[in-house]
Amino acid sequence: MMLNRADECRRRADECRRNAAEVTDDVLRGTYLDLARRWRTIAQQAESLEQKEETKKASLLAVNGEDEFARHCPEGSTADMDPCSSVVLPLSAIGRRDDAH
C-alpha cells in the first residue's frame, strides 16, 4: 500500500517520537521531539495541498468536463507536477536508429 505524502510525514513523526522515547540523552531527545513536531507540521501542509489539488480537479471537471480534466491532469499527475513539463511525441516523429543509415 502506498502512503500519501501526509501519511508518510506522520509516519516519520511517529518514528521520531519512538526514537525520543528510547534515548537517554536530553539533547538528543529534544532533537527527536523537534523533528517529530516539524514532520507533523509538514504533514498538515501536505494534507492542505492535497485538498487543494482535489478541489482543483473537481473544478476542472465541473466547469469543463472530463476531456478538459484529462488534458490538464493526466492520470498520475499531482499538483507539484507541471502539466507542460513532459512532451509526448508520436513514435513516427522520433525516428529509429536504423533509419539514419
Side-chain angles (χ1 to χ4, degrees):
M1 177 179 96
M2 183 171 222
L3 298 176
N4 66 27
R5 292 178 199 139
D7 289 340
E8 176 64 21
C9 293
R10 284 187 202 94
R11 185 193 65 76
R12 289 177 184 251
D14 291 343
E15 183 179 332
C16 288
R17 277 183 289 196
R18 283 192 302 275
N19 289 341
E22 293 176 3
V23 297
T24 56
D25 182 275
D26 290 339
V27 173
L28 188 54
R29 181 180 306 109
T31 300
Y32 275 126
L33 291 174
D34 183 55
L35 285 171
R37 181 188 55 77
R38 291 172 188 247
W39 278 118
R40 283 191 303 274
T41 299
I42 294 169
Q44 291 169 345
Q45 292 171 346
E47 194 166 59
S48 175
L49 287 173
E50 289 167 359
Q51 289 171 351
K52 287 178 184 177
E53 180 180 300
E54 289 302 315
T55 301
K56 180 180 175 182
K57 287 179 183 180
S59 292
L60 283 171
L61 277 173
V63 172
N64 300 311
E66 188 70 35
D67 292 338
E68 188 72 6
F69 169 77
R71 188 169 72 80
H72 288 286
C73 301
E75 189 173 331
S77 70
T78 61
D80 59 340
M81 294 174 62
D82 176 359
C84 300
S85 65
S86 61
V87 177
V88 178
L89 297 174
L91 291 176
S92 60
I94 296 173
R96 296 186 349 208
R97 267 189 144 150
D98 55 331
D99 290 344
H101 298 294

